[in-house]
Amino acid sequence: MSTIDYILIALKIIVSVSILNVWLIQPKKTTRWRGGNTRTIIEEFNYYGLSKVFCYFIGFLKVSLAILLLASITIEYLTLTASLGLAALLLGSIIMHIKVKDPLFKSFPAFLFMMMNLIIAYFSYY
């Protein structure tokens, strides 16, 4: 394995564990990154004008794609689907922060993880 392969594995683990942490371990925890002054993921989606059902749908997609990204460490053909799917969802997060005029720093985690996913996709393709 090359150095880039090890870097891609590390990025896949970092992204996946972070997404799973947000959605499965800390969905009710207040963080400085949530939109507005919301305390939970559901409150954050409400703040954006989105429903609880949509929150659960996005959560299902993010958790599923994070698991696929972890699985792609050994099943490589899953990489593009998982990384580009997560990148698209994270772009949606950034757009929602902009829509409600949140300070830019609140978009930083979504931007960082979107970029990591794009790096994973790019180097996995080539």
Side-chain angles (χ1 to χ4, degrees), residues 4-18:
I4 192 69
D5 292 325
Y6 288 109
I7 293 169
L8 290 174
I9 289 170
L11 288 174
K12 288 177 180 185
I13 292 169
I14 291 166
V15 169
S16 297
V17 169
S18 297

Side-chain angles (χ1 to χ4, degrees), residues 45-119:
F45 271 69
N46 286 335
Y47 180 72
Y48 297 142
L50 303 170
S51 71
K52 190 175 185 178
V53 171
F54 191 70
C55 177
Y56 290 136
F57 176 69
I58 294 298
F60 171 78
L61 289 177
K62 284 190 175 182
V63 167
S64 298
L65 289 169
I67 292 168
L68 285 179
L69 192 60
L70 276 177
S72 77
I73 293 170
T74 56
I75 309 169
E76 291 185 19
Y77 68 85
L78 297 174
T79 301
L80 281 179
T81 301
S83 61
L84 292 178
L86 282 170
L89 292 171
L90 290 160
L91 176 61
S93 299
I94 295 166
I95 290 168
M96 295 313 295
H97 281 292
I98 292 169
K99 175 188 166 204
V100 298
K101 297 179 175 44
D102 272 336
L104 280 180
F105 80 88
K106 291 198 177 216
S107 298
F108 177 72
F111 176 77
L112 178 64
F113 289 113
M114 180 185 73
M115 294 308 295
M116 287 180 181
N117 275 294
L118 292 174
I119 289 167

